[in-house]
Amino acid sequence: MVTRAIMATDMAQHAQYVQKLEQTLAGSLVPDKQLEVELLIKSADTSNVLKPFDVAKRWAIRITDEFFLQGDLERQGGMEVTRMCDRDSQSRVGMQKGFIDFVIGPFFCKMEAVYPGLAPCVEHMRVNRATWDRYTDEMLLAEVDDKARYSFLPSPPVSQSTFLTQAASC
């Protein structure tokens, strides 16, 4: 049960969960406890878009920082840079809008239809999406200082060069 729940966070499985929600809404699938646990874990894993905007924007920076660091490592290693991890061609704000519009928004709208108690959270997502339209990457970065950006870490973040040196020695 636990392994399957953890695997529900794999975005490669995302379409399958959307399909299961569609089947549930059509009446052709009754979610069992396992599926409900998987949907709960998947929802928690992607819940940053459901939070009030002040929280969601900090998570947006954290997530895009992670993606961009991966792209930097790919570039440094002579690999092709994964498109969404390329800081030279991607917009943090654009990535959030696309994620809500095309990936996680449809999932949470179906979750809301199956679990109506999620309505206040999904409304946060809708408000956040509208708010992203008024943002630029520069505005976003100016509003979120480094302390708030890394407040989830147990210790101060290391510089990129320190991280790369440590990673290379592993």
Side-chain angles (χ1 to χ4, degrees):
M1 178 181 250
V2 174
T3 301
R4 285 179 51 196
I6 293 168
M7 294 306 295
T9 65
D10 181 354
M11 289 305 287
Q13 307 299 318
H14 180 75
Q16 294 174 14
Y17 286 99
V18 172
Q19 184 179 36
K20 289 177 183 184
L21 288 168
E22 289 169 349
Q23 291 170 340
T24 300
L25 290 169
S28 62
L29 176 68
V30 176
D32 60 12
K33 292 296 177 195
Q34 178 66 45
L35 178 56
E36 287 186 329
V37 168
E38 291 170 23
L39 289 169
L40 177 68
I41 295 296
K42 179 172 184 52
S43 296
D45 184 53
T46 56
S47 66
N48 57 301
V49 299
L50 302 176
K51 299 182 184 325
F53 190 73
D54 189 53
V55 175
K57 70 182 176 184
R58 288 192 307 249
W59 277 106
I61 289 176
R62 292 169 183 158
I63 291 164
T64 53
D65 279 350
E66 178 182 339
F67 290 165
F68 291 162
L69 180 58
Q70 176 182 325
D72 295 345
L73 292 170
E74 291 170 346
R75 185 175 286 111
Q76 183 183 22
M79 300 169 59
E80 182 177 342
V81 178
T82 305
R83 187 169 185 263
M84 68 184 244
C85 299
D86 188 352
R87 73 174 66 242
D88 297 332
S89 66
Q90 292 297 316
S91 158
R92 292 171 190 267
V93 170
M95 289 172 69
Q96 291 306 300
K97 293 188 318 188
F99 185 61
I100 292 170
D101 290 349
F102 302 110
V103 181
I104 212 63
F107 170 80
F108 277 124
C109 288
K110 288 173 180 53
M111 283 289 290
E112 177 188 22
V114 175
Y115 304 102
L118 290 174
C121 298
V122 174
E123 182 57 25
H124 275 300
M125 179 186 69
R126 290 182 181 111
V127 169
N128 291 347
R129 176 56 186 87
T131 304
W132 283 121
D133 280 336
R134 298 188 303 270
Y135 267 74
T136 65
D137 285 12
E138 293 76 20
M139 290 170 56
L140 175 64
L141 292 170
E143 287 184 10
V144 180
D145 64 18
D146 282 346
K147 183 176 180 182
R149 191 171 176 170
Y150 298 107
S151 63
F152 66 100
L153 295 174
S155 60
V158 297
S159 70
Q160 183 176 340
S161 61
T162 301
F163 175 82
L164 292 173
T165 302
Q166 291 173 349
S169 67
C170 292

